[in-house]
């Protein structure tokens, strides 16, 4: 029995790399945990509370971070417990086994992928058909019977005669001729000047193959040593499958160069080299276009310009970055080497030998070159920022810049700034709302100096936010609207040299306490530099004048301190020690804070010059205004009267000067905490009969033109607020009075009456009717100074309600609307009477009357008799009429259709209207039936006072049924007098599409 050979398994390869002691793993995990917690607290705890992210979201993020870190420790704990269960703690064997499994798995996977690639490449391959002949040859001869190319195995020459009697070229002759051609080409090339670039050539099959690396391969041949070379074939070595050469054209040009030039190979190389370089430049242009439209630079981060005439491509990258605007690359032909090169136009990079600025292998490598250029550019900017001293280098990540910003008065935290290599834009890692806003400012910087200034402003804003937060938590109020045009001159700036003045930034914080008088502030001036921060404190008074904040008072001396010394204890002590300084200036500036032209009324002026309704006021009769100066200083229970200029109080309103007297009287009763503003109308206005609601206007009975506004204040700060309220009420009163007076002038009628008066609304009637329903309501749209617009809303019961849609769509001026409503009121009254006559049943017939409106200057009355089938249309137009050299607006009434058949049943009525209304009948006894009218044969012109009589007369004729003829009437076309009257020649009517009043 044969011996059995035992085959033992090969030993497992031992792995010693990528192994670390357990203590090192625990240490690294602990350090990582502390860094993550510290970074989260620094970047989230001191985020501005006004940001859109709620506090609950930050808590959830913190919880997720804690859970993640806990899981890492739990995994490590499970791994330790598992290792202890292994016999002898020999877990190294398991590591080696895991490594062997991974290696075996990788080998199998590689085989699988190799087989898969073979299947992919053999997709179009197929097995040949069964070749029985070749199989029998191999079986019998031991090899396939391959073609002998007319050579016999014995070496004898084969017959040169073909079956058809023709002669064929012997193979030996062909080989001999090819050998001779190779020899001739070799001799010819040895006698010619060959460019160095074309030294790489080989002679084969009667031709020479000349190869220029990465450019082209050309095949040339010749007949004998006496004839020149000629073109055979050309191949471009550009690895581009979409290139198609026009070889017949190349053959003609190359043969001309080879036959007609003294140095044909030199000329041939120059021609082909220029062509290949130009073609490469075009292919680079195509590749750049693809990168810009569909590649990684999609979105406008890269743009290039291809100049085919100059053979230059100019590339600009980092278009959205403004740091020096140096992102420029030029691709063109080098003058010395005549090769295609890419040149990075960066002055700083040219001075550094380690950084390449010129690249040669460009085609099919342009994307990698751009990545390298942008990477080098970002490191240049990073190095320059590090040299400026405001940034620090991150040891763990070389692409990150660290910038220290304060989190409290005594601590700082680093933020990480990076550059996006695609767009060149700076961005902060773990960004907040504040950091995002400053990232936008950093990307707008044109230089390193501006970027440094932006980061200093970031640090200054962070310090400002910390101080504002400390003051607000201790009861102070930080103003966010006060901002001076020029910063307050700081003592720190004056003590520094001019060289360091640029490195100092300053920001003022205006704070106050709730019980302080208005406009008084404690100014906290923060002066920050690269290395330190100083705080200054001064008392001031600031007023808003014409939309600008002006400093009216500033304490001469200031208290300075370093940022590190500011604590909550010192801020609380400041509240108790600063209030007495504010009170010392409160009474002095209480009158000047109004900033309008004023004059304090003396006791003699009050008794002799002030109006009686002001002097007789009960609060003044108490005599407290005549207190001595010492009494006024000891008590606030006194009264003062101040004359205010109307125009300065109402922002130089011209309309107010035409309505009110030039002075207003302001009376302040500090004892009763009451303030009154007296005024008086200079015109007789209908406003005195009303007391508009919500305006707080009180009219005085003894003087109907006088009025006052009053309010009660709780402290002195409210005085300015109520004066602002008085100003708004007066401006509304001015607007309301202006509208009421315009209405009264336009609607001068006994029927005009104001029914309701609101601050922004006036309702009135102007038609004659018994009810007090408004015909029109006007809504006033105004700002603080002038009327912006008036919205006219007609009542549905008004006869003119039909024109409401036209008024809404036309957006006409309210002056025109008022005149239009007044001028057409008589017309619409007549139309309303005509329509209501049929509805009331005053006459019973078949004629129906309808009113139509084409536009605001053309109306139509339609009389329709369905029994007789007749329609008579009367058109009323508004026209500008020139009469005796003057232009005025009149109504022109005529038939819509001039040609009405005499056979129509409506013709007698039409004829009657022409005879009685449109034509002046000489035999008529009453020639003054209608005043202010002009008869025009085909119509009649009249003004607003006569339109009602004219329409009613026409209606009196047409309301009769046309199928019922009047007794004694026999009209024929023969006895009609259609002649013109004398008045028709003296009147000219001008057609216009619009009306101008």
């Amino acid at each position: 029995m044969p011996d059995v050979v035992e085959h033992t398994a090969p030993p497992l390869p031992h792995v010693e790399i990528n192994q670390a002691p357990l203590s090192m793993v625990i240490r690294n995990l602990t350090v990582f945990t502390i860094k993550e917690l510290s970074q989260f607290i620094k970047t989230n705890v001191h985020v501005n509370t006004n940001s859109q992210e709620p506090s609950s979201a930050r808590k959830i993020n913190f919880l997720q971070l804690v859970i993640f870190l806990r899981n890492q420790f739990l995994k490590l704990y499970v791994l330790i417990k598992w290792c202890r269960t292994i016999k002898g703690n020999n877990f190294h064997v398991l590591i080696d086994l895991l490594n062997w499994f991974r290696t075996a798995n990788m080998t199998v996977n590689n085989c699988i992928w190799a087989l898969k690639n073979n299947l992919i490449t053999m997709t179009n391959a197929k097995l040949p058909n069964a070749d029985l002949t070749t199989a029998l040859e191999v079986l019998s001869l031991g090899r396939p019977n391959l073609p002998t190319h007319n050579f016999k195995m014995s070496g004898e020459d084969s017959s040169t005669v073909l079956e058809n009697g023709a002669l064929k070229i012997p193979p030996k002759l062909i080989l001999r001729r090819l050998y001779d051609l190779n020899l001739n080409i070799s001799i010819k090339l040895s006698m010619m000047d060959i460019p160095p670039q074309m030294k790489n050539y080989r002679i084969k099959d009667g031709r020479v193959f000349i190869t220029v690396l990465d450019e082209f391969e050309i095949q040339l041949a010749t007949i004998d040593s006496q004839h020149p070379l000629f073109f055979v074939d050309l191949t471009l070595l550009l690895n581009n499958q979409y290139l198609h050469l026009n070889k017949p054209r190349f053959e003609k040009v190359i043969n001309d160069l080879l036959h007609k030039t003294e140095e044909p190979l030199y000329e041939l190389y120059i021609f082909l080299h220029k062509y290949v370089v130009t073609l490469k430049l075009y292919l680079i242009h195509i590749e750049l276009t693809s990168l810009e439209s569909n590649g990684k630079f999609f979105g406008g981060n890269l743009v290039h310009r291809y100049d085919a005439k100059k053979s230059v491509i100019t590339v600009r990258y980092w278009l959205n970055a403004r740091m020096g605007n140096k992102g420029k690359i030029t691709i063109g032909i080098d003058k010395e080497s005549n090769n295609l090169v890419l040149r990075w136009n960066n002055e700083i990079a040219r001075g550094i030998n380690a950084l390449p600025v010129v690249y040669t292998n460009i085609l099919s490598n342009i994307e990698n070159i751009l990545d390298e250029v942008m990477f080098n550019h970002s490191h240049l900017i990073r190095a320059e920022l590090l040299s400026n001293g405001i940034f620090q280098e991150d040891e763990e990540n070389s692409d990150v810049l660290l910038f220290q910003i304060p989190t409290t008065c005594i601590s700082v935290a680093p933020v990480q700034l990076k550059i996006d290599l695609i767009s060149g834009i700076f961005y902060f890692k773990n960004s907040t709302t504040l950091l995002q806003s400053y990232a936008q400012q950093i990307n707008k910087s044109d230089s390193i100096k501006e970027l440094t200034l932006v980061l200093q402003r970031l640090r200054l804003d962070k310090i400002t936010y910390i101080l504002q937060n400390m003051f607000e938590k201790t009861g102070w109020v930080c103003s966010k609207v006060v901002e001076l045009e020029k910063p307050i001159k700081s003592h720190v700036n004056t003590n520094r040299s001019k060289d360091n003045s640029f490195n100092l930034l300053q920001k003022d914080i205006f704070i106050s306490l709730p019980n302080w008088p208005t406009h008084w502030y404690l100014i906290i001036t923060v002066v920050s530099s690269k290395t330190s921060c100083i705080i200054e404190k001064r008392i001031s008074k600031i007023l808003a004048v014409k939309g600008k904040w002006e400093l009216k008072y500033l304490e001469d001396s200031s208290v300075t301190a370093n940022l590190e010394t500011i604590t909550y204890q010192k801020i609380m002590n400041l509240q108790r020690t600063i209030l007495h300084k504010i009170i010392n200036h409160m009474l002095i500036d209480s009158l000047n804070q109004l900033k309008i032209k004023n004059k304090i009324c003396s006791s003699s002026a009050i008794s002799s010059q002030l109006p009686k309704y002001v002097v007789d006021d009960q609060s003044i009769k108490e005599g407290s205004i005549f207190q001595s100066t010492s009494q006024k200083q000891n008590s606030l229970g006194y009264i003062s009267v101040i004359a205010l200029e109307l125009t300065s109080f109402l922002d130089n309103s011209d309309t107010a000067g035409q309505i009110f007297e030039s002075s207003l009287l302001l009376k302040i009763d500090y004892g009763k905490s009451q303030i009154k503003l007296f005024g008086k109308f200079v015109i007789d206005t209908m406003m005195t009969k009303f007391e508009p609601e919500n305006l707080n206007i009180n009219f005085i009975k003894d003087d109907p033109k006088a009025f006052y506004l009053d309010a009660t204040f709780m402290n002195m700060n409210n005085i300015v607020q109520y004066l602002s309220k008085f100003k708004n009420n007066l401006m509304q009163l001015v607007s309301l009075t202006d509208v009421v007076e315009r209405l009264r002038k336009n609607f001068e009628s006994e029927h005009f009456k104001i029914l309701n008066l609101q601050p922004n609304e006036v309702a009135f009637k102007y038609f004659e009717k018994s009810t007090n329903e408004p015909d029109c309501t006007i809504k006033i749209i105004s700002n603080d100074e002038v009327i912006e617009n008036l919205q006219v809303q007609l009542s549905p019961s008004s006869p003119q309600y039909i024109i409401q849609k036209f008024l809404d769509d036309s957006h006409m001026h309210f002056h025109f609307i008022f005149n239009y409503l007044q001028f057409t009121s008589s017309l619409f009254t007549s139309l309303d009477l005509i329509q209501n006559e049929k509805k009331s049943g005053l006459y019973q017939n078949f004629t129906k009357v309808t009113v139509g409106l084409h536009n605001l200057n053309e109306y139509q009355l339609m009389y329709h008799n369905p029994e007789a089938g007749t329609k008579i249309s009367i058109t009323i137009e508004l026209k500008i009429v020139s009469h005796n050299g003057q232009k005025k607006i009149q109504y022109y009434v005529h038939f819509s259709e001039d040609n009405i058949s005499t056979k129509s049943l409506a013709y007698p009525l039409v004829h009657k209207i022409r005879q009685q209304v449109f034509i002046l009948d000489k035999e008529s006894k009453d020639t003054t039936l209608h005043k202010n009218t002009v008869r025009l044969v085909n119509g009649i012109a009249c003004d607003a006072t006569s339109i009602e009589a004219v329409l009613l007369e026409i209606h009196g004729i047409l309301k009769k049924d046309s199928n019922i003829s009047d007794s004694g009437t026999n009209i024929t076309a023969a006895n009609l007098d259609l002649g013109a009257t004398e008045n028709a020649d003296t009147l000219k009517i001008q057609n216009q599409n619009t009306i101008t009043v």
Side-chain angles (χ1 to χ4, degrees):
M1 185 174 180
D3 296 336
V4 178
V5 181
E6 296 182 356
H7 296 280
T8 61
L12 292 175
H14 184 60
V15 179
E16 295 182 354
I17 61 174
N18 292 335
Q19 296 187 19
L22 178 62
S23 60
M24 180 64 69
V25 175
I26 296 175
R27 176 185 175 275
N28 292 342
L29 181 58
T30 305
V31 172
F32 172 77
T33 302
I34 295 173
K35 283 188 177 181
E36 288 295 321
L37 291 174
S38 177
Q39 183 69 18
F40 181 86
I41 292 173
K42 290 176 182 178
T43 56
N44 290 275
V45 173
H46 300 285
V47 176
N48 193 346
T49 56
N50 296 328
S51 63
Q52 297 180 356
E53 183 179 8
S55 59
S56 60
R58 295 197 296 270
K59 293 178 181 179
I60 292 174
N61 294 336
F62 181 72
L63 179 59
Q64 292 175 351
L65 176 61
V66 172
I67 293 174
F68 169 75
L69 297 175
R70 174 183 174 274
N71 291 337
Q72 302 304 315
F73 280 98
L74 187 59
K75 291 178 181 178
L76 187 59
Y77 174 74
V78 171
L79 182 62
I80 294 172
K81 294 291 289 183
W82 174 76
C83 290
R84 290 181 178 178
T85 60
I86 301 175
K87 185 178 180 179
N89 291 330
N90 192 15
F91 55 86
H92 297 285
V93 177
L94 297 177
I95 295 176
D96 296 340
L97 184 60
L98 177 62
N99 179 66
W100 184 84
F101 277 129
R102 287 179 176 174
T103 305
N105 185 38
M106 185 181 301
T107 304
V108 173
N109 287 337
N110 291 337
C111 293
I112 293 173
W113 281 107
L115 291 175
K116 184 177 181 181
N117 292 332
N118 289 335
L119 291 176
I120 294 174
T121 56
M122 295 176 63
T123 302
N124 297 326
K126 64 179 180 179
L127 294 176
N129 296 327
D131 190 357
L132 297 179
T133 303
T134 305
L136 292 175
E137 290 176 356
V138 173
L139 181 62
S140 61
L141 301 177
R143 61 177 180 81
N145 190 14
L146 298 175
T148 59
H149 300 286
N150 297 325
F151 285 99
K152 293 184 178 181
M153 298 297 293
S154 61
E156 298 178 359
D157 294 336
S158 60
S159 176
T160 59
V161 181
L162 298 178
E163 295 179 357
N164 55 2
L167 296 177
K168 66 175 182 180
I169 301 175
K172 290 185 177 181
L173 180 60
I174 295 175
L175 295 177
R176 182 62 184 177
R177 184 56 181 163
L178 290 177
Y179 175 79
D180 293 340
L181 290 176
N182 292 340
L183 184 60
N184 289 333
I185 293 174
S186 178
I187 296 172
K188 184 175 288 292
L189 289 179
S190 63
M191 299 175 62
M192 296 176 65
D193 293 333
I194 303 175
Q197 295 83 358
M198 302 179 73
K199 292 291 185 179
N200 183 17
Y201 65 88
R202 68 184 187 278
I203 300 173
K204 181 182 178 182
D205 297 337
R207 65 185 73 178
V208 57
F209 295 82
I210 302 176
T211 303
V212 178
L213 186 62
D214 295 332
E215 290 191 11
F216 60 88
E217 182 183 71
I218 188 170
Q219 301 177 23
L220 302 178
T222 184
I223 300 174
D224 52 27
S225 60
Q226 304 299 324
H227 290 78
L229 297 173
F230 59 86
F231 173 82
V232 177
D233 194 8
L234 176 65
T235 304
L236 297 180
L237 305 179
L238 299 181
N239 295 327
N240 194 309
Q241 58 182 345
Y242 299 105
L243 291 178
H244 299 283
L245 297 178
N246 186 2
K247 291 188 178 180
R249 175 64 177 170
F250 271 97
E251 181 179 2
K252 181 179 183 305
V253 175
I254 292 175
N255 287 334
D256 290 341
L257 292 175
L258 294 174
H259 295 173
K260 299 179 181 179
T261 57
E262 296 180 356
E263 297 181 348
L265 293 183
Y266 273 94
E267 296 296 333
L268 175 62
Y269 172 74
I270 293 173
F271 167 71
L272 292 178
H273 178 71
K274 288 183 179 180
Y275 177 80
V276 171
V277 169
T278 305
L279 186 58
K280 283 184 178 181
L281 195 65
Y282 175 74
L283 293 177
I284 293 173
H285 160 65
I286 299 299
E287 189 173 356
L288 288 173
T289 304
S290 177
L291 288 176
E292 293 172 8
S293 58
N294 301 319
K296 65 193 304 182
F297 300 101
F298 173 77
N301 295 314
L302 183 75
V303 66
H304 78 282
R305 180 177 178 271
Y306 174 50
D307 192 344
K309 294 182 179 180
K310 297 181 180 180
S311 297
V312 173
I313 295 179
T314 304
V315 183
R316 288 193 177 273
Y317 61 93
W318 291 2
L319 301 180
N320 298 322
R322 299 180 59 183
M323 186 63 68
N325 195 19
K326 300 175 183 178
K328 183 178 179 181
I329 296 173
T330 304
I331 304 175
I333 301 174
D334 188 14
K335 294 182 179 179
E336 296 180 358
S337 62
N338 290 327
N339 291 326
L340 196 63
V341 295
L342 182 146
R343 194 179 304 277
W344 178 24
N345 300 328
N346 191 297
E347 297 180 358
I348 300 176
R350 291 175 184 174
I352 303 175
N353 297 327
L355 291 180
V357 295
V358 178
Y359 298 86
T360 55
N361 189 15
I362 308 172
L363 188 62
S364 301
N365 196 31
I366 184 66
E367 184 175 354
N368 296 330
I369 295 176
L370 291 176
D371 291 340
E372 182 178 348
V373 168
M374 293 177 184
F375 177 79
N376 294 335
H377 196 170
S378 66
H379 274 258
L380 288 178
I381 297 175
R382 179 177 176 274
E384 189 173 359
L385 291 175
L386 287 174
S387 64
N388 199 27
I390 197 171
F391 286 101
Q392 298 176 0
E393 188 172 2
D394 192 351
E395 297 179 356
E396 299 179 356
N397 190 352
S398 61
D399 296 335
V400 174
L401 294 172
L402 298 181
F403 176 71
Q404 303 290 339
I405 60 173
T407 55
T408 63
C409 291
I410 59 175
S411 63
V412 295
V415 293
Q416 298 178 347
L417 184 67
K418 293 192 66 175
I419 302 178
D420 186 6
L421 298 181
I422 301 298
S423 61
I425 293 177
F426 289 90
Y427 67 94
F428 288 100
K429 294 186 66 177
N430 301 324
S431 181
T432 61
T433 304
L434 179 64
L435 295 180
Q436 288 177 359
S437 62
Y438 271 93
Q440 296 177 359
Q441 298 182 31
I442 289 174
N443 291 318
K444 295 179 182 178
S445 302
D446 294 329
S447 62
I448 301 296
K449 185 178 292 185
E450 291 184 13
L451 186 145
T452 304
L453 187 61
V454 171
L455 291 174
Q456 285 188 250
R457 287 201 298 266
L458 170 61
R459 177 183 292 164
L460 181 62
D461 283 352
K462 190 64 178 178
I463 295 173
T464 304
Y465 170 73
I466 293 172
L467 293 176
Q468 287 179 347
N469 190 28
M470 295 178 67
F471 278 103
E472 288 177 353
K473 286 183 178 180
T474 54
W476 293 79
V477 178
C478 298
S479 177
K480 298 180 181 180
V481 296
V482 178
E483 185 176 356
L484 300 177
E485 285 188 349
K486 297 181 180 180
I488 298 174
K489 189 175 181 180
S490 173
H491 296 290
V492 178
N493 283 332
T494 58
N495 296 332
R496 299 282 177 152
S497 62
K498 294 183 180 179
D499 297 336
N500 296 329
S501 61
F502 179 80
N503 297 326
L504 293 178
L505 293 181
Q506 174 182 335
K507 190 169 186 179
D508 300 321
I509 307 174
F510 305 92
I511 64 174
S512 62
L513 290 173
N515 57 348
W516 282 12
T518 310
H519 306 309
W520 287 92
Y521 299 93
L522 174 65
I523 299 181
I524 305 296
T525 302
V526 183
V527 182
S528 175
S529 65
K530 292 183 179 180
T531 57
S532 63
C533 180
I534 297 178
I535 308 300
E536 293 184 351
K537 299 184 288 291
R538 277 175 288 189
I539 297 174
S540 65
K541 181 182 179 182
I542 302 173
L543 293 178
V545 179
K546 295 182 180 179
K548 297 181 180 179
W549 295 100
E550 293 186 1
L551 185 65
K552 295 300 180 181
Y553 173 80
L554 181 64
E555 187 179 3
D556 296 334
S557 61
S558 63
V559 180
T560 60
N562 292 327
L563 177 64
E564 295 79 7
T565 62
I566 303 298
T567 61
Y568 282 99
Q569 183 67 30
K570 293 183 179 180
I571 294 176
M572 296 297 295
N573 293 334
L574 186 63
Q575 293 184 4
R576 296 188 291 269
T577 59
I578 199 171
L579 183 59
H580 69 279
K581 297 182 181 180
I582 305 298
I583 298 176
N584 292 337
H585 301 276
M586 182 179 60
L587 294 177
I588 299 175
D589 298 313
S590 61
L591 295 178
N592 293 332
Q593 68 182 356
L594 303 176
K595 298 305 290 180
I596 59 176
K597 294 182 180 180
N598 61 80
K599 183 178 181 182
I600 301 176
C601 299
S602 60
S603 58
S604 59
I606 292 175
S607 59
S608 61
Q609 299 179 5
L610 288 185
K612 185 178 180 181
Y613 53 83
V614 178
V615 178
D616 292 343
D617 192 66
Q618 184 178 0
S619 59
I620 297 183
K621 286 182 179 180
E622 296 175 359
S624 59
I625 196 170
F626 302 107
Q627 293 177 355
S628 64
T629 306
S630 60
Q631 292 174 335
K632 293 180 181 179
Q633 292 177 352
N634 295 330
S635 174
L636 294 179
Y638 65 92
I639 297 173
S640 62
V641 178
I642 305 174
L644 308 177
E645 185 185 26
L646 175 68
T647 55
S648 61
F649 184 71
L650 296 181
D651 298 331
N652 300 322
S653 175
D654 296 333
T655 307
Q658 300 173 2
I659 297 176
F660 300 136
E661 289 185 350
S662 60
S663 298
L664 300 174
L665 296 176
L666 178 66
K667 184 178 70 175
I668 306 173
D669 189 344
Y670 295 95
K672 296 182 179 180
S673 298
Q674 190 176 28
I675 179 173
K676 289 185 178 181
L677 183 65
F678 292 89
K680 189 175 182 180
F681 288 97
V682 296
I683 58 175
D684 294 330
T685 176
M686 298 179 67
M687 291 295 298
T688 56
K689 300 178 182 179
F690 299 90
E691 290 189 4
E693 300 178 1
N694 302 324
L695 282 183
N696 196 21
I697 303 295
N698 303 302
F699 289 96
I700 300 174
K701 297 181 180 180
D702 297 338
D703 192 345
K705 295 183 180 180
F707 62 91
Y708 69 90
L709 297 88
D710 61 343
T712 302
F713 58 90
M714 300 303 297
N715 54 56
M716 295 185 64
N717 291 335
N718 293 335
I719 294 178
V720 177
Q721 298 178 6
Y722 283 108
L723 283 179
S724 178
K725 182 179 179 181
F726 290 164
K727 173 187 172 182
N728 294 334
N729 291 343
L730 283 180
M731 290 304 302
Q732 289 182 342
L733 184 61
V734 168
S735 302
L736 202 59
T737 304
D738 185 28
V739 173
V740 170
E741 291 304 311
R742 292 182 186 275
L743 289 175
R744 189 178 68 172
K745 291 179 181 179
N746 281 277
F747 297 94
E748 293 183 357
S749 172
E750 59 182 358
H751 307 299
F752 176 74
K753 182 179 179 181
I754 295 179
L755 302 179
N756 187 19
L757 198 62
Q758 298 290 337
N760 296 318
E761 183 175 303
V762 180
F764 61 95
K765 58 172 290 188
Y766 54 94
F767 283 103
E768 181 182 2
K769 55 184 177 180
S770 59
T771 60
N772 283 333
E773 296 181 359
D775 295 323
C776 182
T777 301
I778 298 177
K779 295 182 179 180
I780 304 173
I781 301 174
S782 62
N783 55 17
D784 294 338
E785 298 181 3
V786 297
I787 299 175
E788 291 185 347
N789 192 15
L790 295 179
Q791 293 183 355
V792 180
Q793 183 66 41
L794 296 174
S795 174
S797 61
S798 173
Q800 293 177 324
Y801 183 72
I802 191 175
I803 67 173
Q804 180 65 51
K805 183 178 182 302
F806 293 93
L807 296 180
D808 295 339
D809 297 340
S810 57
H811 303 289
M812 294 174 291
H813 196 271
F814 61 88
H815 293 299
F816 168 78
I817 295 175
F818 292 163
N819 290 329
Y820 182 82
L821 294 177
Q822 189 273 337
F823 186 82
T824 60
S825 59
S826 58
L827 170 64
F828 283 97
T829 301
S830 305
L831 298 177
D832 189 54
L833 291 174
I834 293 172
Q835 288 184 305
N836 292 335
E837 182 180 354
K838 179 67 177 179
K839 294 179 182 179
S840 60
L842 296 178
Y843 61 91
Q844 301 293 331
N845 51 28
F846 298 102
T847 303
K848 297 180 180 179
V849 184
T850 57
V851 177
L853 179 64
H854 298 288
N855 47 50
L856 290 179
N857 62 333
E858 186 174 349
Y859 322 93
Q860 188 176 28
L861 272 174
M862 177 67 72
Y863 291 84
H864 178 218
N865 189 342
E867 294 293 330
T870 58
K871 290 183 180 179
I872 302 176
S873 178
I874 301 295
T875 300
I876 304 146
E877 297 184 60
L878 280 174
K879 291 181 176 291
I880 297 179
V881 176
S882 177
H883 189 203
N884 296 330
Q886 296 182 354
K887 291 184 178 181
K888 58 182 179 178
I889 299 177
Q890 284 197 348
Y891 292 101
Y892 176 47
V893 184
H894 60 91
F895 288 109
S896 300
E897 298 180 0
D898 295 335
N899 298 325
I900 299 178
S901 175
T902 55
K903 297 179 181 181
S904 175
L905 296 176
Y907 184 79
L909 300 179
V910 174
H911 177 72
K912 186 176 182 180
I913 291 175
R914 285 177 176 170
Q915 293 296 326
Q916 293 185 9
V917 183
F918 294 167
I919 300 176
L920 180 62
D921 192 357
K922 296 181 180 180
E923 297 179 359
S924 178
K925 297 179 181 180
D926 187 6
T927 59
T928 62
L929 180 60
H930 305 305
K931 298 180 179 180
N932 301 325
T933 60
V934 179
R935 302 171 187 264
L936 303 171
V937 181
N938 292 326
I940 184 170
C942 61
D943 56 9
T945 59
S946 304
I947 186 63
E948 182 176 359
V950 171
L951 292 180
L952 291 178
E953 182 180 2
I954 294 174
H955 177 67
I957 298 173
L958 295 181
K959 69 182 181 180
K960 299 177 181 180
D961 291 337
S962 56
N963 57 346
I964 303 175
S965 61
D966 294 340
S967 59
T969 304
N970 188 10
I971 303 173
T972 61
N975 57 9
L976 293 179
D977 185 8
L978 302 178
T981 61
E982 298 177 358
N983 293 332
D985 296 331
T986 61
L987 186 66
K988 296 179 180 179
I989 297 179
Q990 302 174 352
N991 290 326
Q992 290 201 181
N993 294 328
T994 58
I995 306 172
T996 304
V997 180

